[in-house]
Amino acid sequence: MSEGAKTGDGYAVANLAGLGEGPGFRKIRTELGVTAFGVNAIVLPPSYATGSHYHDEQEELYFLHRGRVQLEFGDGSTEILEEGGIARVDPATERRVRNLSDSEEAVYVVVGGKDGYVGRDGKLGEGETHR
């Protein structure tokens, strides 16, 4: 972890702004020490489109933090995400992300993993009750 991350007993916190400058990947997984899934933020320059890609096993979740993007899928369909928009993509589905602004960066977070949901295993802390 870099000096930008703060760690405690069982947790780590950071700010996206501290993970790099300019366009490109922000390695959230590495910065926070995440081991159960992959997670990165991507900063896309105005009018930029990523290369098309797919995965062998990893399902991905996309969350658009800032901007407006178009997801283009291997079957030729497209979907537009506004700020706060989310999308799930199967591993084998080809996808590309295009920044629809010609003047502003777009920022999105991608979470990837495989082997499914672990169920509702949350427990209340000592002395806590449901509100």
Side-chain angles (χ1 to χ4, degrees):
M1 284 179 246
S2 77
E3 57 188 71
K6 294 179 182 177
T7 61
D9 187 14
Y11 68 90
V13 298
N15 189 294
L16 190 59
L19 302 184
E21 295 181 18
F25 276 76
R26 304 293 186 269
K27 304 286 188 175
I28 296 173
R29 182 183 63 80
T30 303
E31 184 70 17
L32 296 182
V34 175
T35 59
F37 51 87
V39 58
N40 290 300
I42 293 90
V43 179
L44 288 184
S47 303
Y48 185 84
T50 67
S52 179
H53 81 283
Y54 67 94
H55 295 272
D56 289 329
E57 300 180 347
Q58 181 173 267
E59 180 179 52
E60 288 184 324
L61 174 80
Y62 291 74
F63 168 73
L64 184 62
H65 172 64
R66 184 172 65 232
R68 188 168 182 259
V69 301
Q70 177 176 281
L71 293 172
E72 302 170 4
F73 300 103
D75 65 1
S77 63
T78 62
E79 294 292 334
I80 293 176
L81 296 182
E82 307 283 345
E83 289 184 8
I86 52 177
R88 179 203 49 85
V89 184
D90 286 342
T93 300
E94 286 191 35
R95 79 290 313 247
R96 169 190 326 263
V97 182
R98 179 180 308 279
N99 184 349
L100 294 175
S101 173
D102 60 3
S103 61
E104 299 291 326
E105 291 179 329
V107 180
Y108 61 97
V109 174
V110 181
V111 177
K114 67 171 248 173
D115 291 336
Y117 178 60
V118 298
R120 294 190 67 181
D121 67 346
K123 308 280 189 283
L124 292 175
E126 187 174 329
E128 292 292 322
T129 60
H130 286 285
R131 295 179 188 188

